[in-house]
Amino acid sequence: RLQTLSGPSALSAWQLHIVREEYKPRPVLLVVPAAGSDPARVTSDARSKLLEIDVLRLGIEHRIVLDPEVRLAERLEEERTWSGKPRRVIDRSVSGGRP
């Protein structure tokens, strides 16, 4: 869904980090705006697209998952899968790290 953002809310890159606060997971979406994009619009549109994911929205409504954060980033630390593809979702809840 995030790939569909275009125009003033276009993304150059994104990563979704899952972090844990106490015992609940919190999705943290890191976004790199494309050249010429409006950063404020990028974050608001990315958050809207994120909340279109039914299972995430239901998790938030039922207080299983904490409300997601959307943060602007200048660049992302790229992580790759064993096959060499960029990893889009990174689970930091086990290691306790923050993005």
Side-chain angles (χ1 to χ4, degrees), residues 45-90:
D45 289 355
R47 180 176 170 75
S48 296
K49 287 289 184 184
L50 192 61
L51 293 175
E52 286 179 9
I53 301 171
D54 292 333
V55 69
L56 177 60
R57 191 178 64 253
L58 288 171
I60 295 166
E61 288 172 7
H62 294 288
R63 298 183 181 168
I64 298 168
V65 177
L66 294 172
D67 198 38
E69 293 179 25
V70 178
R71 299 181 191 165
L72 291 173
E74 290 184 20
R75 65 178 187 81
L76 301 175
E77 289 186 32
E78 195 169 272
E79 292 190 27
R80 298 209 171 257
T81 65
W82 62 271
S83 64
K85 295 179 182 176
R87 188 177 301 275
R88 298 278 188 206
V89 178
I90 300 168

Side-chain angles (χ1 to χ4, degrees), residues 19-26 64 66 93-94 96 98:
V19 298
R20 192 164 294 280
E21 293 183 12
E22 296 187 22
Y23 62 93
K24 291 186 180 182
R26 178 183 300 277
I64 298 168
L66 294 172
S93 65
V94 177
R98 294 283 295 172

Side-chain angles (χ1 to χ4, degrees), residues 5-22:
L5 293 176
S6 61
S9 57
L11 296 177
S12 173
W14 62 271
Q15 282 179 341
L16 181 63
H17 292 249
I18 308 300
V19 298
R20 192 164 294 280
E21 293 183 12
E22 296 187 22

